[in-house]
């Protein structure tokens, strides 16, 4: 953990945060009737887009693990950035109550890693796998034309359990 | 000539050209540009980007999601790439930054390829943006030890900040250009290390403020300004961390 040290009035300090802060958003705000009041537009910067999308996912209650490693993967395979948004949307449509975890899987046997999106539900009924496949079908086609991978999966755990993610 | 660092903090440099709406554009252009660049940028990929807009109308708030396509041409190691979309050209360099001497020729080449493919009628915006990820091996951090662009807190305010953002836009060339500077925290993978993002975006703020034939000269000038602003934002403590090469 980060330790706190005494500070003086003339020396403002800032302590490192382990979550994506709201500051990474880049909205443009304008007011007035019939006018644009918010726009989240992709920028020319890939890093800024990745920050914006990860922040958006956090707002949608997706738990992001290994943020730094995920950023590195997305920088290497930029096509996956946009697939990720579609994948989360598809999963939320099929499983509105699900808790989602986004992380990076490291294959222990070979030098390979790729992001995964893990779905957890309070109850897993007999249609669960069918729905998971239906959600995957909504974005998997885009992976065939894109370098990199995104795996949709589950571990069948209870999302409420302590330290679930 | 700016200072040189053995461990520069640049994680991404982007040079972006947005063309005016009167510039003709069609779906064949990315392919034609690719033909001119494929020897240096052989890998080709597509991104489908989503743009979200919220508008206030007589019937209340309305959300619109639009999708646009961008084609990426990447060099073999995928660290430098060209993005091309409707009336947009961007050239990106990821860490390790190839130095200005390595980056500028790629900008020139990509812009020239576009210029030979399309009749560019004007430039709506040009931007040269450097995103720096600065790791400071201590936490808490006294910002004024490392930066000359930071939050000032009066003595009656709490001094222990949980989060912050510092931003400003500076005017250049009689308001034709602007430089947007932001300093903000980023996630850190270690409790012993604080991470900050210093984002410097120098851009043409007046549509058609620069002639198409002068675009590359503008980029060179923008780079000088970005360097000045970067050096103006940091202290020698950071220069030591970046290991200045003399």
């Amino acid at each position: 953990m980060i330790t706190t040290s005494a500070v003086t009035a003339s020396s403002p300090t800032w302590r490192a945060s382990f979550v994506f802060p709201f500051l990474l958003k880049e909205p443009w705000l304008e007011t007035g009737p019939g006018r644009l009041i918010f726009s989240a537009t992709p920028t020319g910067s890939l890093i800024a887009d990745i920050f914006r999308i990860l922040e958006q996912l956090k707002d949608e209650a997706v738990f992001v693990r290994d943020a730094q490693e995920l950023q590195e993967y997305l920088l290497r395979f930029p096509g996956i950035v946009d697939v990720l948004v579609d994948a989360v949307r598809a999963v939320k449509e099929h499983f509105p109550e699900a808790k989602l975890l986004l992380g990076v899987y490291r294959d222990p046997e070979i030098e390979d890693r790729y992001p995964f999106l893990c779905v957890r539900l309070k109850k897993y009924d007999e249609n669960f796998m069918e729905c998971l496949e239906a959600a995957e079908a909504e974005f998997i086609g885009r992976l065939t034309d894109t370098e990199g991978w995104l795996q949709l999966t589950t571990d069948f755990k209870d999302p409420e359990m302590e330290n679930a993610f | 000539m700016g200072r040189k660092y053995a461990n520069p903090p640049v994680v991404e440099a982007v040079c972006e050209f947005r063309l005016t709406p009167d510039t003709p554009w069609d779906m064949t252009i990315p392919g034609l540009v690719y033909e001119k660049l494929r020897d240096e940028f052989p890998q080709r990929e597509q991104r489908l980007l989503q743009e979200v807009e919220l508008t206030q109308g007589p019937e209340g708030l309305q959300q619109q999601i639009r999708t646009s396509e961008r084609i990426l041409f990447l060099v073999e190691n995928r660290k430098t790439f060209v993005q091309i979309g409707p009336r947009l050209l961007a050239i990106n360099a990821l860490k390790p930054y190839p130095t200005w001497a390595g980056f500028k020729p790629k900008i020139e080449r990509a812009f020239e390829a576009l210029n030979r493919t399309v009749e560019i009628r004007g430039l709506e915006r040009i931007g040269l943006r450097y995103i720096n990820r600065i790791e400071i091996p201590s936490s808490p951090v006294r910002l004024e030890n490392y930066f000359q662009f930071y939050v000032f807190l009066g003595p009656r305010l709490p001094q222990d900040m949980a989060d912050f953002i510092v931003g400003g836009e500076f005017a250049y060339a009689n308001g034709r250009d602007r430089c947007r500077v932001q300093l903000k925290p980023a996630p850190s993978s270690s409790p012993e290390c604080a991470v900050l993002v210093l984002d410097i975006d120098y851009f043409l703020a007046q549509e058609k403020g620069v002639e198409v034939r002068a675009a590359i000269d503008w980029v060179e000038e923008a780079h000088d300004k970005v360097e000045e602003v970067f050096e103006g934002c940091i202290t020698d403590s950071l220069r030591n961390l970046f290991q200045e090469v003399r």
Side-chain angles (χ1 to χ4, degrees), chain B residues 153-178:
Chain B
L153 298 177
R156 293 169 64 186
L157 286 169
Q159 299 294 309
D160 198 1
M161 280 186 295
D163 212 342
F164 68 89
I165 184 166
V166 194
E169 271 188 19
F170 303 101
Y172 287 89
N174 296 317
R176 183 198 65 184
D177 303 342
R178 285 195 177 192

Side-chain angles (χ1 to χ4, degrees), chain A residues 1-24 26 28 32-49 51-52 68 71 75-79 81-82 85-86 89 142 147, chain B residues 11-12 14 16 18 45-57 61 70 72 77-78 81 83 92 94 129 131 133 139-144 151 153 155 159-165 184-191 193-197 199:
Chain A
M1 291 298 290
I2 301 168
T3 56
T4 311
S5 73
V7 292
T8 66
S10 61
S11 59
T13 63
W14 161 74
R15 285 181 288 165
S17 161
F18 287 88
V19 293
F20 276 90
F22 72 95
L23 305 169
L24 295 172
E26 295 199 342
W28 287 268
R35 297 184 66 185
L36 177 71
I37 58 167
F38 175 86
S39 170
T41 312
T43 67
S45 159
L46 182 58
I47 284 182
D49 280 355
F51 283 168
R52 181 175 56 81
Q68 181 65 30
Q71 282 176 41
L75 283 172
R76 184 156 174 75
F77 299 107
V81 176
D82 315 298
V85 176
D86 283 353
R89 185 174 300 127
R142 289 184 58 192
E147 288 280 326
Chain B
V11 286
E12 186 179 29
V14 194
E16 182 186 277
R18 289 185 187 265
E45 274 182 35
Q46 182 191 34
R47 282 188 69 192
L48 284 175
L49 302 155
Q50 287 181 341
E51 192 175 323
V52 182
E53 259 187 23
L54 205 58
T55 47
Q56 172 75 59
L61 288 175
R70 251 183 231 175
L72 274 63
N77 72 3
R78 306 176 69 85
F81 52 92
Q83 298 184 71
N92 301 52
L94 301 176
R129 182 174 181 182
I131 300 178
R133 186 176 187 276
S139 187
V141 169
R142 292 187 181 203
L143 291 170
E144 80 273 24
V151 190
L153 298 177
Q159 299 294 309
D160 198 1
M161 280 186 295
D163 212 342
F164 68 89
I165 184 166
K184 54 197 179 185
S188 170
S189 51
S190 157
C193 180
V195 180
L196 296 112
V197 172
D199 186 344

Side-chain angles (χ1 to χ4, degrees), chain B:
Chain B
M1 190 60 140
R3 296 173 190 245
K4 297 245 178 284
Y5 298 104
N7 182 27
V10 182
V11 286
E12 186 179 29
V14 194
C15 183
E16 182 186 277
F17 301 90
R18 289 185 187 265
L19 316 183
T20 49
D22 58 339
T23 297
W25 193 270
D26 66 59
M27 61 197 287
T28 63
I29 290 166
L32 296 169
V33 173
Y34 178 63
E35 283 306 312
K36 297 179 176 78
L37 296 176
R38 67 187 302 175
D39 58 321
E40 194 174 0
F41 298 88
Q43 300 185 45
R44 194 174 45 177
E45 274 182 35
Q46 182 191 34
R47 282 188 69 192
L48 284 175
L49 302 155
Q50 287 181 341
E51 192 175 323
V52 182
E53 259 187 23
L54 205 58
T55 47
Q56 172 75 59
E59 290 164 15
L61 288 175
Q62 288 187 324
Q63 182 180 295
Q64 244 194 340
I65 299 176
R66 281 196 298 264
T67 302
S68 66
E69 188 184 67
R70 251 183 231 175
I71 311 289
L72 274 63
F73 311 141
L74 303 98
V75 300
E76 285 292 355
N77 72 3
R78 306 176 69 85
K79 297 288 186 190
T80 307
F81 52 92
V82 171
Q83 298 184 71
I84 188 159
R87 297 183 182 82
L88 169 87
L89 174 76
I91 304 95
N92 301 52
L94 301 176
K95 191 177 179 177
Y97 178 59
T99 76
W100 183 237
F103 187 37
K104 190 188 169 191
K106 291 185 168 54
I107 297 170
E108 283 178 304
R109 182 146 187 234
F111 186 73
E112 179 59 23
L114 181 68
N115 205 13
R116 282 195 287 127
T117 309
V118 187
E119 185 206 340
I120 302 174
R121 296 203 178 140
L123 293 160
E124 188 176 80
R125 187 186 192 273
I126 320 174
L128 185 67
R129 182 174 181 182
Y130 279 73
I131 300 178
N132 301 279
R133 186 176 187 276
I134 298 170
E135 289 190 18
I136 299 175
S138 73
S139 187
V141 169
R142 292 187 181 203
L143 291 170
E144 80 273 24
N145 288 351
Y146 298 95
F147 295 94
Q148 298 195 56
F149 182 77
Y150 60 91
V151 190
F152 169 78
L153 298 177
R156 293 169 64 186
L157 286 169
Q159 299 294 309
D160 198 1
M161 280 186 295
D163 212 342
F164 68 89
I165 184 166
V166 194
E169 271 188 19
F170 303 101
Y172 287 89
N174 296 317
R176 183 198 65 184
D177 303 342
R178 285 195 177 192
C179 186
R180 182 180 296 155
V181 184
Q182 278 195 347
L183 179 68
K184 54 197 179 185
S188 170
S189 51
S190 157
E192 308 305 322
C193 180
V195 180
L196 296 112
V197 172
L198 177 63
D199 186 344
I200 302 174
D201 187 8
Y202 189 96
F203 59 97
L204 175 68
Q206 284 175 5
E207 185 176 318
K208 294 191 176 180
V210 168
E211 296 284 324
V212 175
R213 61 186 151 76
I216 296 298
D217 292 340
W218 183 94
V219 171
E220 180 68 49
E221 201 180 304
H223 178 258
D224 291 345
K225 298 290 185 282
V226 169
E227 269 192 346
E228 282 172 24
V229 170
F230 175 76
E231 293 299 335
C233 285
I234 65 172
T235 66
D236 284 342
S237 300
L238 272 188
R239 289 187 187 95
N240 291 338
L241 280 178
F242 303 153
Q243 298 167 30
E244 186 175 0
V245 180
R246 291 177 190 273

